[in-house]
Amino acid sequence: MDAPLPLIEFKDVTKRFDSRTVLDRINLKIYEGQVTTIIGLSGSGKSVLLKHIIGLIKPDEGTILFQGKPLSDMNEKESAAGLARISYMFQDNALFDSMTVYDNIALPLRETTHMGKSEIDRRVTARIQQTELEDAAHKYPSEISGGMQKRVALARALVTDPRIVLFDEPTSGQDPVRKNAILGMIAQYQRKFGFTAILVSHEIPDVYFISNRILALYDKSIVFQGSPEELEEFDHPFKDEVIRSLEGLQVELTGFYSKRQFKVMHHAQLARKTNGDTYCIVVFSLAGLDAIQTSSGYVVTQEAIRNLSMYIDKHFGAIGGFSTRLQQSEFVTVLPNSDMTEAKSILEDFIRDFREWDIADRLAIGRNEAGVEGCAEFAILAGIALGEPAADVASVVIAAQSQQVEIARVRCNSRR
Amino acid sequence: MAFDQNRPNGAGNMTGWRLGGLLTRPFAVFGRSAIAWVGNMGASAIFLLLAFLRIFKAKQPAKIVQQIYYIGARSTMIILLVGFFTGMVLGLQSYHALVKFGAQGALGTLVALTLVRELGPVLTAIMIAARAGSAITAEIGIQRISEQIDALDTMRIDPLRYLISPRIAASIISFPLLTALFDIIGIIGGYVSGVLLLGANAGTYIYRVQASMDMKDVTDGFIKAIVFAVIVSTVSCYQGYFAHMRPDSHGAKAVGLSTTSSVVLSCVLILVSDYVVTSLLI
């Protein structure tokens, strides 16, 4: 089967500022409908690369192709039509501080379309509701929080129904909960509206959870293009110098081990085992993430994920278990010295302790973000599977996922 | 010939070379400044032309009216105040000068012509440059350094059309109107000091004001006001728009320096162009 035509392709793109080369013979491909994340260290030229796509910066050498056609060969009309499909969310939001939130979001429609006032109002109001900004609509950017400003920038970027949205460091300057809240928001809107998202970020590994494809910018060149899973297997100095320095051993939000550290620990415990020794893997999930985000807000959702993961870590860590984050709302815990009976007993203890909590309060889902009036009903699932030294860990995780059952259900402040 | 240190007279050549460098350095510095100045003038002219052409595009009237309010209407009070006291001091000085020759009857002529031909357009332009021009530079400069102008580009909103053209159009409309206001209030100020306070004849003052001016004086004053409007608005917008490209500073400091440059440059260009325009009109 023929490979799909890339939406955007860079061929040998070079950019210099005076005598300093920032991008050197860059080659990359970005595909339609995916979330593509460009990772690299600060100052490595990620934003410069992004600005080439929107035409804010022109390459000194090389070609940028849009749906197979070089941008440099496009006439003004074609170029304008191409750019009309792209929105850009700036690192510092670039909101107009003398305009209200509503006017900021309405600006591109007022200035670039012939829509009537009522149509503009309908579209802007819809975006305001979707990004949960109703209370802030008539405030100025300086009167709202940084997270809300990000949402305003996102609403402004989405109001023209773009097919491509570029996000330049969307989580910069945010705490771990808000970083993940913003990434969760981007992922949810990408699923909802189906646009192609291109992110620049160095939030590793948080961006892996929402990305289909990762581009690694290192030493002025793209050294890796592929899925987050393929990046795990990638052997290059980039991994040592960039990913390990950015990732650290433990993930900021959850306090869990990074996937790499988790693998190292897992291999170490396997090495100590002989044939016949077993271990168990438990997979926890917070079901209905999108619904929780919509009804309770992104920050509250991330606080819930953090609190749940910290509780898991504390409970299982005390008996020698170790955990990592598998997906946005999925965690895996290894019980290295337990057989199935013991693991089930430990899990039952965990469930009993967990239910004795005031779950909604502890997970912080009992409250909503300002302006969010919804109320989510959501379930916490857990599944357990037995592993042996010879077994592939991925298959054990899949087995545990298939065994997942509901261990708790929360509806705002009530518990069932 | 290349300098060779191994040659017996190398030291002498070195000294000569350094001396030559010292002598030519002022010319090099002057030359670089002149080239940069000419380059800026050319860039400003292109900037003005591109912005001016966008005045006539769709969706501009509302923005122009808004800018007339900011640049024109909100400058009214300061123009009235400065105009009134300029007229008063002109009446005061002129009266004492004219009375020595027994020519205090010419007070109205002197006050009116001075204001309408010169002081009205010049002082109005300087006051607006200080009040509105500085604000324009600071506002556009901040929009530049906070990437708001880049954001316009990414939204396919032409920054020249959206930000610059309305300000230039509003200045071209506001400056002559404010100049007219300055002239009228200045003549009233001259009346207050010359007639009411110093005792010059009221009828003579008003008659002289009316009789000594013809329409050319008024239109010449308006032509100057329009020239100054173009200068002040272009300088203010250009300084803000390119605040990020200043070679001497970055960020907020660049905006501050651009604002200072905008006011100083506007005032200097107002006075220089006043002489040029006057010599062409007279």
Side-chain angles (χ1 to χ4, degrees):
Chain A
M1 202 173 85
D2 290 340
L5 180 71
L7 182 66
I8 294 160
E9 186 173 4
F10 279 43
K11 281 188 174 172
D12 294 327
V13 168
T14 296
K15 182 66 191 175
R16 297 181 197 91
F17 292 110
D18 299 323
S19 59
R20 193 168 66 92
T21 303
V22 179
L23 304 177
D24 189 16
R25 299 176 70 81
I26 291 280
N27 290 287
L28 63 85
K29 289 175 182 171
I30 291 164
Y31 295 97
E32 192 156 13
Q34 292 190 343
V35 179
T36 302
T37 303
I38 302 163
I39 58 173
L41 288 172
S42 294
S44 60
K46 302 188 296 293
S47 298
V48 172
L49 197 157
L50 206 61
K51 284 176 180 171
H52 277 86
I53 296 172
I54 193 109
L56 281 177
I57 297 177
K58 307 276 182 227
D60 293 326
E61 290 166 25
T63 314
I64 299 170
L65 296 105
F66 186 76
Q67 289 181 321
K69 188 165 186 185
L71 283 180
S72 52
D73 291 354
M74 288 185 183
N75 60 34
E76 203 171 312
K77 202 175 169 183
E78 284 175 318
S79 177
L83 288 176
R85 300 174 59 194
I86 306 177
S87 275
Y88 191 103
M89 186 173 153
F90 282 80
Q91 187 172 351
D92 296 322
N93 306 321
L95 297 176
F96 286 84
D97 39 23
S98 56
M99 288 183 195
T100 62
V101 164
Y102 182 98
D103 289 335
N104 263 287
I105 299 169
L107 181 67
L109 295 179
R110 284 178 182 157
E111 291 298 325
T112 61
T113 70
H114 297 289
M115 285 179 196
K117 203 176 171 186
S118 58
E119 174 63 9
I120 290 175
D121 185 60
R122 191 185 64 75
R123 285 179 176 236
V124 172
T125 305
R127 286 290 185 262
I128 284 175
Q129 284 169 351
Q130 286 156 353
T131 47
E132 300 145 30
L133 287 164
E134 289 95 330
D135 284 354
H138 299 291
K139 289 181 178 170
Y140 289 92
S142 59
E143 296 174 324
I144 59 177
S145 69
M148 288 172 105
Q149 287 180 20
K150 285 276 176 206
R151 298 213 299 266
V152 178
L154 183 63
R156 188 177 70 180
L158 297 180
V159 78
T160 50
D161 293 331
R163 299 308 306 149
I164 306 164
V165 186
L166 313 181
F167 300 90
D168 189 358
E169 304 266 12
T171 56
S172 62
Q174 306 283 324
D175 60 54
V177 168
R178 280 176 177 77
K179 269 179 204 169
N180 281 273
I182 290 165
L183 293 176
M185 182 168 68
I186 290 170
Q188 194 190 8
Y189 287 127
Q190 194 274 334
R191 285 194 295 272
K192 193 188 277 186
F193 301 116
F195 54 79
T196 304
I198 305 169
L199 277 84
V200 153
S201 182
H202 51 237
E203 300 303 342
I204 296 170
D206 299 342
V207 288
Y208 294 167
F209 301 122
I210 67 159
S211 304
N212 302 105
R213 216 169 128 76
I214 302 284
L215 306 181
L217 183 62
Y218 175 72
D219 196 20
K220 305 166 196 166
S221 298
I222 293 289
V223 294
F224 172 83
Q225 301 186 56
S227 67
E229 292 75 28
E230 288 166 343
L231 184 61
E232 297 276 331
E233 310 305 322
F234 180 57
D235 186 21
H236 189 276
F238 174 81
K239 279 194 83 168
D240 294 324
E241 290 179 34
V242 181
I243 294 186
R244 280 173 197 164
S245 70
L246 292 175
E247 190 175 48
L249 293 180
Q250 291 188 311
V251 181
E252 269 185 319
L253 179 78
T254 56
F256 283 162
Y257 290 106
S258 67
K259 271 190 186 171
R260 184 177 304 102
Q261 186 63 18
F262 177 83
K263 279 184 181 172
V264 169
M265 293 179 73
H266 185 57
H267 281 301
Q269 63 103 359
L270 286 184
R272 287 196 293 270
K273 290 186 184 298
T274 56
N275 276 345
D277 284 351
T278 57
Y279 66 93
C280 278
I281 279 185
V282 189
V283 176
F284 295 94
S285 298
L286 192 59
L289 188 69
D290 279 2
I292 303 169
Q293 289 183 144
T294 305
S295 59
S296 298
Y298 297 94
V299 172
V300 167
T301 305
Q302 295 302 325
E303 282 177 355
I305 289 173
R306 184 180 62 178
N307 293 344
L308 176 63
S309 53
M310 285 171 75
Y311 188 75
I312 291 169
D313 196 35
K314 189 179 166 191
H315 191 94
F316 292 100
I319 52 168
F322 51 91
S323 310
T324 192
R325 190 181 183 187
L326 210 58
Q327 298 294 333
Q328 259 191 302
S329 58
E330 194 169 51
F331 320 107
V332 56
T333 298
V334 172
L335 301 171
N337 304 310
S338 303
D339 57 18
M340 197 64 171
T341 315
E342 191 183 18
K344 276 184 178 168
S345 159
I346 293 168
L347 184 61
E348 276 165 16
D349 284 348
F350 171 81
I351 294 168
R352 193 170 48 252
D353 286 357
F354 192 65
R355 283 180 175 162
E356 280 170 12
W357 257 17
D358 184 349
I359 301 174
D361 259 11
R362 292 292 183 120
L363 295 190
I365 292 181
R367 68 176 180 80
N368 290 339
E369 273 177 69
V372 181
E373 290 174 358
C375 182
E377 181 167 308
F378 69 96
I380 299 165
L381 312 176
I384 192 162
L386 189 70
E388 289 175 3
D392 172 27
V393 67
S395 61
V396 185
V397 168
I398 291 167
Q401 283 168 330
S402 68
Q403 296 297 316
Q404 278 189 324
V405 291
E406 188 178 304
I407 60 166
R409 177 165 284 269
V410 181
R411 189 172 194 282
C412 288
N413 274 326
S414 62
R415 176 161 54 104
R416 251 181 14 207
Chain B
M1 192 174 71
F3 171 67
D4 183 359
Q5 272 190 315
N6 296 324
R7 289 175 63 175
N9 59 349
N13 273 357
M14 182 77 162
T15 311
W17 181 69
R18 281 185 179 154
L19 189 63
L22 281 174
L23 287 172
T24 57
R25 189 173 298 163
F27 294 101
V29 170
F30 178 76
R32 273 196 293 274
S33 303
I35 290 167
W37 188 81
V38 170
N40 270 325
M41 289 298 285
S44 304
I46 294 167
F47 180 80
L48 168 64
L49 180 69
L50 293 175
F52 189 80
L53 292 175
R54 285 158 171 79
I55 289 174
F56 309 102
K57 293 216 168 191
K59 301 185 179 182
Q60 293 294 70
K63 290 189 207 74
I64 293 171
V65 169
Q66 196 181 34
Q67 288 303 323
I68 289 173
Y69 172 72
Y70 286 121
I71 297 170
R74 293 184 73 170
S75 299
T76 308
M77 274 314 293
I78 191 77
I79 293 298
L80 287 175
L81 202 65
V82 172
F84 185 71
F85 283 101
T86 302
M88 278 190 76
V89 83
L90 195 60
L92 183 67
Q93 290 281 16
S94 304
Y95 180 85
H96 285 295
L98 290 170
V99 84
K100 288 179 186 168
F101 308 102
Q104 59 269 44
L107 181 66
T109 304
L110 205 151
V111 169
L113 289 181
T114 308
L115 282 170
V116 172
R117 288 180 178 176
E118 278 304 322
L119 288 184
V122 169
L123 287 182
T124 301
I126 288 175
M127 289 316 299
I128 303 177
R131 201 202 73 83
S134 57
I136 289 171
T137 307
E139 187 180 345
I140 295 176
I142 288 168
Q143 289 182 330
R144 169 60 81 186
I145 62 162
S146 60
E147 294 185 308
Q148 292 174 38
I149 294 178
D150 288 339
L152 288 175
D153 270 322
T154 65
M155 289 187 272
R156 293 177 302 112
I157 301 170
D158 180 354
L160 287 181
R161 177 184 70 77
Y162 185 75
L163 293 175
I164 311 301
S165 295
R167 287 173 167 86
I168 290 177
S171 298
I172 291 171
I173 294 166
S174 302
F175 272 55
L177 293 174
L178 289 171
T179 299
L181 200 63
F182 187 102
D183 293 346
I184 291 164
I185 200 73
I187 290 168
I188 292 170
Y191 181 90
V192 170
S193 66
V195 176
L196 299 183
L197 299 179
L198 297 170
N201 185 280
T204 310
Y205 182 88
I206 293 166
Y207 171 74
R208 287 287 189 167
V209 168
Q210 189 185 2
S212 57
M213 274 203 302
D214 55 28
M215 199 57 204
K216 188 176 181 308
D217 296 316
V218 178
T219 52
D220 284 0
F222 281 172
I223 288 169
K224 284 184 180 181
I226 290 169
V227 171
F228 299 156
V230 171
I231 288 171
V232 171
S233 57
T234 307
V235 167
S236 306
C237 292
Y238 183 85
Q239 289 288 333
Y241 198 81
F242 294 107
H244 64 307
M245 290 174 72
R246 287 187 73 91
D248 52 351
S249 58
H250 299 279
K253 195 173 179 189
V255 176
L257 289 173
S258 293
T259 307
T260 306
S261 300
S262 150
V263 176
V264 172
L265 198 59
S266 292
C267 292
V268 170
L269 288 176
I270 286 165
L271 295 174
V272 171
S273 62
D274 183 40
Y275 176 80
V276 174
V277 175
T278 304
S279 63
L280 292 173
L281 293 174
I282 213 156

